[in-house]
Amino acid sequence: MKEYDVGGMGCAACSARVEKAVLEVAGVSSCSVSLLTNSMLVEGTASDDAIVSAVENAGYTACKRKTKRKASEDDSLADKETPVLLKRLLISFGFLILLMYLSMGHVMWNFPLPLFLQNNPALIGTLQMILSAIVIGINHKFFTNGFKGLIHRAPNMDTLVAMGSSASFVYSFYVLILMFVSKNSAHYLHDLYFESAAMILALITLGKMLEARSKGKTTNALKSLMNLAPKTTTVIRDGEEVKVSVDDVKKGDIFVVRPGESIPVDGIIIGGNSALDESALTGESVPVDKSVGDVVSAATINQSGFIKCEATRVGEDTTFSQIIKLVREASATKAPIAKIADKVSGIFVPVVMAIALLVFVVWMILGKSVGFSLIRAISVLVISCPCALGLATPVAIMVGNGKGAKSGILFKTAASLEMAARTQIVALDKTGTITKGEPEVTDIIGEENLLQIAYSLEKKSEHPLAKAIVKYGEENGISALETTDFVIFAGGGLKASLEEETICGGNADYVKKYVDISAEFLEKANKIASEGKTPIFFAKGKQVLGIIAVADKIKTDSAKAIEELKRMGIRTVMLTGDNKLSAETIAKQVGIEDVLAELKPEQKEKAIVNLQKEGKVAMVGDGINDAPSLTRADIGIAIGAGTDVAIDAADIVLVNSNLSDVGAAIRLSRATLKIIRENLFWAFIYNVICIPVAAGAFVWAGLTLNPMIGAAAMSLSSFCVVTNALRLNFFDVRKMK
């Protein structure tokens, strides 16, 4: 997926136009344009030149976003708009005060004027025109962007503002000419609307500045994460400590971290021990003890001891950089609910222009003056707000993603952030998800050579149960026998060749394929399973060697997490490849009533399909065998400590591997969706109510709207939408309501 910076966009109509233009390029399979970050994500085989050319032909600018090695150096989220808009605003208001004094202060309230202006209405009007023209010049971007959009047949918000201001200025200029040729020019002063032309621009600029400031705050969570990345670190070169840029750290380098310093890259501790603050990645404030052999991640903070580490992942490969990348990409994508606003935004501006023209014509037919009719049309143009529609979804998505990232919950796309809120069923893997995934050998029942053969077979497997047997074998000094033809049967077991005989290990159904298992062994296995342990059968040739029982400890938060999901109205189901008795025992301990056990990966996937007939399903897993079901589910949730395959297949990643974060992710999603709905409701209702009022539909009741008030209302509309989204920053994702 390629990322581009897009310039010249002012509202949702602009982003919709850019998106449409790029999607028409041959080789582009998908395109998502973010008005919030002025960025664009494009997927497909189309060249950069073709994509940039399409954007430029649509009337905007684009360039390929340069890759930053360090997230902390990426200034793409910096608020560059506010200072520029503030400067424009202050200068505009300086001239606007003089203009308002001449137009309203003197004309309406008889404020005193210099002697050379007294009894000279034409000169007063001329000065108003000059001051108005200066304000127009200061805010010329509205006109260049607006009329450029009109030329490219893609009118936008700036088009509405430019047309409204231009109409006021042109009509006032016409009246000014009449003043010069008329003998009684004083009564024309009330027909001048130069102050409206200037005030509209100033108020819209004020609104844009407030909006820009608020938009800047929506990225605060992400920017605060970026700032945690250190710029320099200390590495050992030629036996001496040397201060270098983090960019210069290579895989395999030895670096040291003192108390109070941040970890520069991902690595493994090779000396010393300490307590690390990992809240930047996990959201957990409690420090985590680390010693030799433990993994450390970039941007975490060393709180106590001196540690020496070996770099394992650097640059963009660090966990921290990947988190930043995920959050950025998710913020640039669009939620399904945003498609409603996009469709409306695409036709909004042309419809408003048509309404404004119709309003002018209708009032003229009804016998009203040109001035009255024009003011009504201008009010329609300037009060309409496509920006609020365009910002309703992306600002909430940005804040929600940032909040999730700070809490150790990563949403890969905007769609996943929305979909999680609709979850009705949560399907959970057992090992590594509900349990710690660190099983231990508890019982050995069988032949004397059982442990050695089991150790030799399981040594080539990466399964958590296999690791438990291997660990036990190593602790007891068992030596491995040479095996060949090693094969893994997912969800079943393993087999290999030893001394020209087949050895196998796994669950009862799998081992039964090779040997007959006595009723005595099956009874013992059932007893083991009833205690929550997993019995693993081993056989050599035609002989059953025995059973090794393995038990996995339940995570401390599993029962609480299941209870929270139930209180949220969500059904929980366990899907596991483990034997039925063991699975049911674990399920009972954590409060899960529905259990589907002894499932192979393809059976897990089918189980997800069946559950989807009953509602929206979220699958939670951590292993390679969970990847198909994670992909099949409406929402795939990967435990952060799981395999890369599982994480790649998932839509949401729980960095700190706590099961309770499943409920937290759903709560955050629900809160974000609520904000989006509120924003969309406000944006639609605002336009539905305000446009008729501006058009003069309620003149009969004495209700009219001045264009200046319309401009102020339009500006505040976008500001309100952005500010509402910022409330998510105060949402506690881990607190049950």
Side-chain angles (χ1 to χ4, degrees):
M1 192 172 286
K2 301 176 184 177
E3 192 171 4
Y4 300 82
D5 291 313
V6 182
M9 295 191 299
C11 66
C14 297
S15 60
R17 172 68 178 171
V18 172
E19 202 165 286
K20 183 181 178 183
V22 174
L23 284 171
E24 290 174 354
V25 177
V28 172
S29 56
S30 69
C31 175
S32 178
V33 179
S34 172
L35 179 64
L36 180 63
T37 57
N38 292 318
S39 63
M40 175 174 67
L41 290 177
V42 181
E43 200 164 17
T45 57
S47 66
D48 294 337
D49 291 340
I51 292 169
V52 170
S53 179
V55 175
E56 290 176 347
N57 290 336
Y60 306 92
T61 62
C63 64
K64 182 80 180 290
R65 176 165 286 175
K66 295 179 181 177
T67 303
K68 305 282 183 179
R69 282 200 64 192
K70 277 205 322 165
S72 60
E73 292 179 356
D74 190 348
D75 64 348
S76 60
L77 297 177
D79 183 8
K80 301 171 186 175
E81 285 188 86
T82 302
V84 175
L85 290 169
L86 180 61
K87 185 179 178 181
R88 272 170 51 186
L89 184 67
L90 292 174
I91 298 172
S92 296
F93 267 116
F95 289 100
L96 189 61
I97 290 169
L98 295 174
L99 176 57
M100 296 301 291
Y101 188 94
L102 287 173
S103 61
M104 299 182 72
H106 173 70
V107 176
M108 296 178 65
W109 299 305
N110 292 317
F111 285 1
L113 291 175
L115 288 174
F116 71 94
L117 290 176
Q118 291 178 12
N119 300 316
N120 196 340
L123 185 57
I124 293 173
T126 303
L127 280 176
Q128 288 184 39
M129 181 193 71
I130 293 170
L131 291 168
S132 179
I134 292 172
V135 176
I136 288 173
I138 294 167
N139 298 280
H140 64 89
K141 274 200 167 185
F142 288 118
F143 297 87
T144 54
N145 291 340
F147 290 122
K148 186 192 291 182
L150 200 59
I151 293 168
H152 285 88
R153 293 182 294 175
N156 50 46
M157 188 205 75
D158 288 347
T159 306
L160 299 179
V161 174
M163 289 182 68
S165 181
S166 298
S168 295
F169 188 88
V170 171
Y171 177 73
S172 300
F173 185 74
Y174 168 73
V175 173
L176 182 62
I177 292 173
L178 293 179
M179 291 175 71
F180 276 100
V181 300
S182 174
K183 293 181 180 179
N184 184 20
S185 59
H187 77 278
Y188 283 110
L189 280 173
H190 292 278
D191 293 327
L192 293 175
Y193 296 105
F194 286 120
E195 78 281 358
S196 293
M199 181 65 81
I200 287 169
L201 298 174
L203 289 173
I204 298 296
T205 301
L206 172 63
K208 278 189 167 289
M209 189 199 73
L210 293 173
E211 181 188 313
R213 279 192 74 182
S214 298
K215 281 165 64 177
K217 292 179 181 178
T218 65
T219 59
N220 279 352
L222 186 53
K223 285 187 285 191
S224 65
L225 281 178
M226 288 180 169
N227 291 333
L228 292 172
K231 292 181 175 60
T232 61
T233 188
T234 303
V235 299
I236 296 177
R237 299 267 170 89
D238 299 325
E240 295 194 6
E241 293 186 6
V242 182
K243 205 88 165 177
V244 300
S245 169
V246 173
D247 284 349
D248 296 329
V249 179
K250 304 291 190 296
K251 187 177 178 180
D253 279 351
I254 307 299
F255 61 91
V256 298
V257 187
R258 291 175 171 79
E261 294 180 343
S262 296
I263 307 295
V265 296
D266 292 0
I268 297 175
I269 298 177
I270 59 174
N273 56 76
S274 181
L276 265 62
D277 177 1
E278 296 185 336
S279 58
L281 302 182
T282 67
E284 295 290 338
S285 58
V286 179
V288 180
D289 291 329
K290 298 281 186 176
S291 57
V292 175
D294 288 335
V295 174
V296 295
S297 299
T300 58
I301 302 170
N302 181 15
Q303 290 198 326
S304 53
F306 177 90
I307 54 175
K308 185 184 292 183
C309 310
E310 181 183 344
T312 55
R313 292 194 291 186
V314 300
E316 293 184 336
D317 295 328
T318 66
T319 304
F320 177 73
S321 294
Q322 290 300 309
I323 288 174
I324 298 296
K325 184 182 177 184
L326 278 176
V327 177
R328 284 187 61 94
E329 288 185 353
S331 299
T333 60
K334 289 187 177 179
I337 197 171
K339 292 178 182 178
I340 303 170
D342 286 348
K343 287 180 181 178
V344 174
S345 299
I347 60 171
F348 185 86
V349 175
V351 169
V352 169
M353 291 167 64
I355 292 172
L357 180 61
L358 182 64
V359 166
F360 177 80
V361 172
V362 168
W363 282 119
M364 289 295 291
I365 293 172
L366 293 174
K368 294 293 184 178
S369 67
V370 174
F372 179 90
S373 304
L374 190 64
I375 288 298
R376 300 280 68 78
I378 293 170
S379 296
V380 169
L381 289 172
V382 298
I383 203 170
S384 308
C385 190
C387 274
L389 282 170
L391 292 170
T393 299
V395 292
I397 294 294
M398 175 64 84
V399 179
N401 268 313
K403 184 70 178 178
K406 290 193 76 172
S407 305
I409 303 166
L410 303 180
F411 297 91
K412 288 188 177 181
T413 63
S416 63
L417 180 55
E418 178 186 335
M419 185 58 71
R422 309 181 194 277
T423 300
Q424 297 165 289
I425 303 169
V426 172
L428 302 117
D429 175 48
K430 182 177 78 69
T431 306
T433 302
I434 296 173
T435 62
K436 291 183 177 180
E438 300 171 359
E440 297 175 351
V441 173
T442 59
D443 303 272
I444 299 178
I445 305 168
E447 302 290 330
E448 187 177 338
N449 62 340
L450 168 61
L451 182 58
Q452 185 177 33
I453 289 178
Y455 175 75
S456 304
L457 179 63
E458 300 284 9
K459 193 174 176 67
K460 294 182 179 180
S461 173
E462 291 295 319
H463 194 280
L465 299 183
K467 289 181 178 180
I469 295 173
V470 171
K471 182 182 178 184
Y472 186 83
E474 290 173 347
E475 289 174 350
N476 287 273
I478 302 297
S479 58
L481 301 171
E482 188 64 34
T483 60
T484 57
D485 304 324
F486 179 80
V487 183
I488 297 176
F489 294 89
L494 321 166
K495 78 166 186 173
S497 296
L498 176 67
E499 299 172 352
E500 298 183 352
E501 285 190 293
T502 298
I503 58 172
C504 62
N507 58 41
D509 288 339
Y510 174 74
V511 175
K512 280 179 182 177
K513 295 177 181 178
Y514 301 94
V515 297
D516 293 325
I517 302 175
S518 66
E520 183 185 353
F521 268 127
L522 290 174
E523 188 178 338
K524 289 178 179 179
N526 288 336
K527 185 176 181 301
I528 289 169
S530 67
E531 297 170 356
K533 303 171 185 177
T534 301
I536 304 173
F537 289 85
F538 291 91
K540 181 182 180 184
K542 298 294 182 180
Q543 181 188 0
V544 177
L545 298 176
I547 301 170
I548 295 180
V550 177
D552 193 3
K553 293 181 180 178
I554 297 172
K555 290 181 180 179
T556 53
D557 70 328
S558 290
K560 181 184 176 185
I562 302 300
E563 178 60 29
E564 284 186 356
L565 288 171
K566 287 182 178 179
R567 286 168 58 190
M568 293 166 67
I570 296 171
R571 176 188 166 197
T572 55
V573 181
M574 180 190 288
L575 304 180
T576 179
D578 206 349
N579 72 82
K580 190 175 180 181
L581 274 175
S582 179
E584 286 177 345
T585 301
I586 297 295
K588 187 177 180 180
Q589 291 176 13
V590 296
I592 297 176
E593 296 173 359
D594 297 330
V595 180
L596 297 174
E598 300 176 6
L599 300 177
K600 296 176 181 177
E602 61 272 19
Q603 292 173 319
K604 277 191 179 183
E605 186 183 3
K606 288 179 181 177
I608 294 292
V609 173
N610 291 330
L611 288 171
Q612 286 174 322
K613 297 174 183 176
E614 303 175 39
K616 298 294 183 183
V617 179
M619 172 67 193
V620 187
D622 71 318
I624 294 173
N625 63 321
D626 297 321
S629 48
L630 286 169
T631 305
R632 175 64 64 182
D634 297 291
I635 289 290
I637 304 175
I639 298 295
T643 65
D644 290 341
V645 176
I647 292 171
D648 288 343
D651 303 293
I652 302 171
V653 179
L654 307 181
V655 178
N656 58 8
S657 301
N658 287 343
L659 195 58
S660 56
D661 280 352
V662 174
I666 295 172
R667 280 193 294 274
L668 178 59
S669 175
R670 287 177 176 179
T672 304
L673 193 58
K674 183 183 177 187
I675 291 291
I676 290 173
R677 285 169 172 162
E678 288 173 356
N679 283 351
L680 287 174
F681 176 80
W682 165 253
F684 279 115
I685 290 300
Y686 164 84
N687 285 292
V688 167
I689 294 175
C690 289
I691 289 177
V693 173
F698 301 97
V699 166
W700 56 271
L703 183 61
T704 59
L705 195 68
N706 187 286
M708 291 180 285
I709 297 174
M714 183 244 206
S715 300
L716 288 173
S717 178
S718 297
F719 175 69
C720 288
V721 164
V722 178
T723 303
N724 187 46
L726 290 173
R727 293 195 296 121
L728 278 171
N729 283 318
F730 304 102
F731 182 75
D732 189 348
V733 298
R734 293 188 172 87
K735 186 177 179 181
M736 283 287 295
K737 302 297 179 184

